[in-house]
């Protein structure tokens, strides 16, 4: 498709000049744009102020450059990839075995798109089906520039377990189960099928730092998923680690991650509990159980029939319950939040501690690692917040 010209209002042009990587489609006054249509955004004098792509499935326009592009083609994506790879190489991540974010949307000049490397393979994800042709171009550039064997192409869905969109594979097809490394720690990933592959690269530095708070401690990891934080705690010398998740399937996966690290899953120090997190914590409190560290890494929302959950509505009460599970002498809370879709983690923590009747001190607040760059003039991109709290 060729470029389609759209004249911007002064207000929208100011937003582009201020660095906005996405614009509401409705603000352009353009209707009937095909998904993926290349756009030239024009000022009142018909001069090009930006080049973009229409994404009507998400109701936005994705700004790729604040000048005229000759084409959104293979050379364009290759040039962007060379810059992205150079940064990750400088960070020491490009080694053929590690896992990391290679393209972080607008932070790497490609809003609506991402690429994650898992050892010898990569996963490219686009925000809608209309962006698939660009995802294929990005995937080919990843093959050519990043030195991977194969690329799995996925379409982002509101449901992370949605399998309606079949994966496309460029190059060599990965095995259904693959073992990769993070900071030398082995983890099993499943690159084919669901959008979530079993290891979130944005948590790497937080897993690295967890050991400072868990050595010799009794640790409860809630919403444990495939147990990456539980593995980090066990490897750091935790006295006991209990992993709780509603899904028996992901906890079996967590057991395998323990085994890969040489941690015996039949050891009574390591428990894997299939349960709704809130019910498990209430039952533990009723039984008089206490922990030294409680990890809260919940999803933003969950529509699971057995466990309806909304971070915005339910998180403070859960933090209060976790604080009450700590011993009377005190302990640590490790809390994460997606601030893009609700209050920041410190707002949740303040509210939760107030409800618990316990005092707390913030020890550390962190966010995304350096392979997740975000535009300095677009703070909405910095979605992850993690904090550690000493509870008195």
């Amino acid at each position: 498709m060729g470029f389609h010209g759209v004249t911007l209002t002064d207000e929208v042009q100011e937003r582009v000049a201020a660095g906005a990587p996405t614009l509401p489609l409705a603000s352009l006054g353009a209707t009937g744009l095909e998904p993926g249509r290349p756009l030239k955004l024009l000022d009142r004098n018909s001069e090009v102020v930006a080049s973009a792509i229409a994404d009507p499935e998400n109701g936005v326009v994705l700004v790729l450059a604040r000048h005229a592009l000759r084409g959104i083609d293979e050379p364009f994506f290759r040039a962007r990839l060379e810059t992205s790879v150079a940064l990750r190489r400088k960070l020491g991540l490009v080694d053929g075995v590690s896992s990391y974010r290679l393209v972080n949307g607008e932070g790497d000049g490609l809003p609506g798109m991402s690429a994650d490397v898992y050892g010898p393979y990569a996963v490219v994800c686009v925000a809608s089906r209309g962006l698939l042709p660009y995802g294929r171009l990005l995937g080919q550039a990843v093959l050519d520039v990043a030195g991977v064997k194969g690329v799995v192409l996925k379409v982002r869905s509101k449901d992370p377990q949605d399998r309606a969109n079949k994966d496309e594979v460029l190059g060599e097809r990965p095995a259904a189960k693959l073992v990769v490394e993070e900071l030398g720690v082995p983890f099993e990933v499943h690159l084919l099928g669901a959008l979530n592959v079993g290891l979130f690269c944005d948590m790497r530095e937080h897993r690295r730092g967890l050991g400072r708070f868990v050595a010799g401690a009794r640790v409860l990891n809630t919403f444990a998923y495939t147990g990456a934080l539980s593995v980090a705690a066990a490897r750091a010398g935790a006295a006991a680690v209990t992993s709780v998740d509603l899904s028996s399937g992901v906890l079996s996966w967590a057991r395998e991650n323990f085994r890969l690290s040489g941690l015996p899953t039949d050891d009574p120090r390591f428990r894997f509990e299939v349960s709704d997190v809130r019910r498990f914590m209430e039952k533990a409190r009723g039984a008089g159980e206490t922990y030294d560290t409680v990890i809260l890494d919940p999803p933003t929302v969950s529509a699971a029939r057995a466990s309806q959950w909304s971070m915005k509505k339910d998180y403070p009460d859960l933090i209060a319950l976790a604080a009450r599970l700590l011993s009377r002498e005190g302990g640590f809370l490790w809390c994460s939040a997606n601030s893009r879709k609700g209050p920041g983690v410190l707002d949740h923590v303040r509210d939760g501690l107030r409800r618990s009747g316990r005092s707390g001190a913030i020890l550390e607040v962190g966010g995304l690692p350096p392979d997740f760059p975000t535009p300095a003039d677009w703070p909405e991109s910095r979605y992850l917040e993690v904090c550690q709290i000493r509870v008195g």
Side-chain angles (χ1 to χ4, degrees):
M1 288 185 287
F3 281 94
H4 176 77
V6 177
T7 301
L8 305 179
T9 64
D10 292 343
E11 181 183 355
V12 175
Q13 189 176 335
E14 287 176 6
R15 294 189 64 186
V16 173
T22 63
L23 302 168
L25 191 58
S27 69
L28 272 67
T31 59
L33 291 175
E34 306 97 317
R37 164 68 73 177
L39 302 175
K40 289 184 178 179
L41 306 184
L42 312 173
D43 64 15
R44 293 184 181 277
N45 298 317
S46 296
E47 296 292 330
V48 176
V49 297
S51 301
I53 299 172
D55 183 13
E57 293 163 72
N58 288 304
V60 296
V61 167
L62 307 170
V63 180
L64 299 182
R66 281 159 188 81
H67 55 80
L69 292 172
R70 291 185 177 181
I72 307 173
D73 50 15
E74 187 175 335
F76 167 80
F77 281 97
R78 188 181 182 94
R80 294 284 162 103
L81 248 292
E82 287 173 348
T83 301
S84 297
V85 169
L87 171 62
R88 279 67 180 187
R89 198 179 301 280
K90 189 174 185 63
L91 295 172
L93 296 169
V94 184
D95 57 11
V97 295
S98 293
S99 304
Y100 58 94
R101 174 62 54 100
L102 177 59
V103 172
N104 192 47
E106 53 267 27
D108 287 292
L110 294 170
M113 303 172 227
S114 66
D116 293 297
V117 172
Y118 298 95
Y121 297 94
V123 174
V124 166
C125 183
V126 293
S128 66
R129 293 198 63 81
L131 299 179
L132 268 173
Y134 301 106
R136 295 185 186 105
L137 290 171
L138 174 57
Q140 188 59 52
V142 171
L143 273 177
D144 295 342
V145 178
V148 298
K149 295 179 180 178
V151 174
V152 181
L153 179 58
K154 298 178 182 287
V155 178
R156 190 176 304 134
S157 168
K158 292 182 180 179
D159 177 4
Q161 301 303 319
D162 181 11
R163 296 174 183 268
N165 295 310
K166 293 186 177 180
D167 297 332
E168 295 183 30
V169 178
L170 306 176
E172 182 180 306
R173 188 178 186 85
K177 297 180 180 180
L178 183 72
V179 176
V180 298
E181 291 186 6
E182 178 187 84
L183 302 171
V185 180
F187 290 101
E188 180 181 288
V189 294
H190 303 173
L191 303 188
L192 302 171
L195 187 62
N196 292 339
V197 305
L199 185 67
F200 294 111
C201 299
D202 56 1
M203 282 289 187
R204 180 183 59 253
E205 298 305 318
H206 300 294
R207 285 188 280 268
R208 185 207 294 263
L210 184 62
R212 295 168 294 168
F213 306 100
V214 300
R218 296 160 297 167
V219 177
L220 173 62
N221 182 18
T222 64
F223 306 97
Y225 189 44
T226 58
L229 284 164
S230 295
V231 168
R235 289 175 64 101
V241 180
T242 299
S243 304
V244 182
D245 199 280
L246 192 61
S247 168
S248 60
V250 295
L251 284 184
S252 295
W253 196 342
R255 288 176 181 270
E256 178 60 17
N257 282 330
F258 267 66
R259 189 193 66 79
L260 289 170
S261 277
L263 300 165
T265 56
D266 57 353
D267 189 320
R269 295 176 300 156
F270 305 134
R271 294 168 54 196
F272 301 86
E273 299 287 343
V274 179
S275 174
D276 170 75
V277 165
R278 186 186 293 107
R279 282 196 285 271
F280 176 89
M281 294 170 72
E282 288 171 345
K283 185 177 178 181
R285 177 164 166 74
E289 294 182 24
T290 60
Y291 295 87
D292 302 307
T293 299
V294 178
I295 298 170
L296 298 169
D297 185 23
T300 305
V301 294
S302 172
R305 217 175 269 178
S307 180
Q308 298 262 330
W309 161 266
S310 166
M311 179 177 285
K312 186 182 295 186
K313 179 172 62 75
D314 301 322
Y315 205 6
D317 281 337
L318 197 70
I319 292 172
L321 183 54
R324 296 187 190 108
L325 277 175
L326 299 174
S327 67
R328 292 187 63 182
E329 293 74 27
F332 296 97
L333 291 180
W334 187 105
C335 301
S336 74
N338 185 332
S339 59
R340 180 183 289 167
K341 298 182 180 179
V345 69
L346 294 180
D347 296 317
H348 291 301
V349 166
R350 280 191 290 266
D351 197 1
L353 288 178
R354 179 182 56 78
R355 297 183 193 192
S356 75
R358 302 195 72 168
S359 61
I362 305 298
L363 302 182
E364 185 177 69
V365 179
L368 294 169
D371 50 321
F372 282 71
T374 57
D377 47 11
W378 193 250
E380 292 91 332
S381 297
R382 301 201 65 80
Y383 62 88
L384 178 65
E385 292 184 350
V386 177
C387 73
Q388 288 79 38
I389 308 102
R390 174 71 170 90
V391 178

